[in-house]
Amino acid sequence: MTSSRVASDLASILVPIGVVGAVLAGLCALVAAIAIMRGAAGLAGGAVGVWIPAAVLSLAASFANQWTPVIVSGAVLVGLLVIGAVVRGIVNAGEPARSTRRAARVAAVVAGAPAASAPATTSPPSTGTIPALAR
């Protein structure tokens, strides 16, 4: 086998592996962006942690001089993280107005609630199955 034939055979194997890695990296970047939008830092960190091996897998295509999967996986992560942060900022900017409306609704419900006719009775706190801890 000539070296060009070996390179062609390797390219036919490594390029699809790199494309699969780029797709997995894109999915992980999407999960990270959604997690940032929702404010779930742990999920975002986990998604970026899984993105790293997927991006390394996309490097397999670079052995056949195909750099597109690597560039796409990196660009998708950066783009979606920026989009997630911007959307999270927009959500946080609207939060004070939402909490003010919620407090006004609660105050209206409390002010319009009828007075209780009988005092509420409470039972002693339960301590589980050990009666010695009840006192």
Side-chain angles (χ1 to χ4, degrees), residues 45-72:
V48 171
V50 174
W51 175 87
I52 293 169
V56 169
L57 190 62
S58 72
L59 279 170
S62 69
F63 290 105
N65 288 329
Q66 295 293 322
W67 292 95
T68 306
V70 178
I71 294 169
V72 166

Side-chain angles (χ1 to χ4, degrees), residues 20-92:
V20 168
V23 168
L24 291 175
L27 291 174
C28 291
L30 182 65
V31 170
I34 292 170
I36 288 174
M37 288 178 204
R38 296 184 53 86
L43 180 60
V48 171
V50 174
W51 175 87
I52 293 169
V56 169
L57 190 62
S58 72
L59 279 170
S62 69
F63 290 105
N65 288 329
Q66 295 293 322
W67 292 95
T68 306
V70 178
I71 294 169
V72 166
S73 64
V76 166
L77 178 69
V78 170
L80 285 175
L81 289 181
V82 168
I83 289 171
V86 167
V87 170
R88 183 67 186 164
I90 292 170
V91 169
N92 284 342

Side-chain angles (χ1 to χ4, degrees), residues 10 25 55 99-100 102 113 125 131:
L10 281 176
S99 63
T100 303
R102 189 179 309 124

